[in-house]
Amino acid sequence: MSTTIKIVQPTGILDGVSVNQLRREVNDVVESGANIVLVDFQDVTFMNSTGLGALVATLKTVQAAGGQLFICSLCDQVKMIFELTKMNRVFKSFANREDFERQITPVS
């Protein structure tokens, strides 16, 4: 089985207004055959509990399809939410995209 990596990069504020786009994008990459999904938070400036809930839902979607979901480039506010909710134990995160690419090597 080959490994297909897709990257989703939300922008701005990840809240009740913008979470549907994140869910759609993750669903689309899973349906296109991605078995590794990286959500790059480089351009996310704020995330509330609705955004966190949506991220958990996307994790379940990816895992139900037999894939893995990773996150990277968390700003301090998002990182704090992950730590306070202990979601940092659920999600495998990387400092940035380069760190992810060094550690996750596609199998061909």
Side-chain angles (χ1 to χ4, degrees):
M1 181 173 149
S2 66
T3 300
T4 303
I5 300 172
K6 296 286 185 179
I7 298 171
V8 175
Q9 190 164 354
T11 60
I13 298 172
L14 197 55
D15 60 4
V17 175
S18 60
V19 295
N20 288 333
Q21 181 176 349
L22 174 65
R23 287 184 183 144
R24 262 193 314 274
E25 288 182 33
V26 171
N27 284 339
D28 288 347
V29 297
V30 169
E31 288 176 6
S32 71
N35 47 16
I36 295 179
V37 178
L38 174 66
V39 180
D40 187 342
F41 279 80
Q42 179 179 354
D43 297 326
V44 172
T45 56
F46 179 84
M47 182 175 76
N48 65 12
S49 60
T50 304
L52 183 60
L55 197 60
V56 170
T58 60
L59 175 65
K60 290 181 178 179
T61 298
V62 172
Q63 289 178 336
Q68 295 177 285
L69 185 135
F70 301 98
I71 57 176
C72 74
S73 306
L74 304 178
C75 70
D76 289 341
Q77 185 271 333
V78 174
K79 193 179 297 182
M80 184 177 69
I81 286 181
F82 274 87
E83 291 170 359
L84 289 173
T85 59
K86 303 200 184 316
M87 284 292 122
N88 55 337
R89 298 178 185 174
V90 175
F91 290 90
K92 172 73 175 161
S93 69
F94 297 91
N96 51 45
R97 196 180 294 193
E98 291 76 25
D99 189 30
F100 167 79
E101 291 170 350
R102 270 194 304 272
Q103 296 188 43
I104 304 296
T105 304
V107 178
S108 55

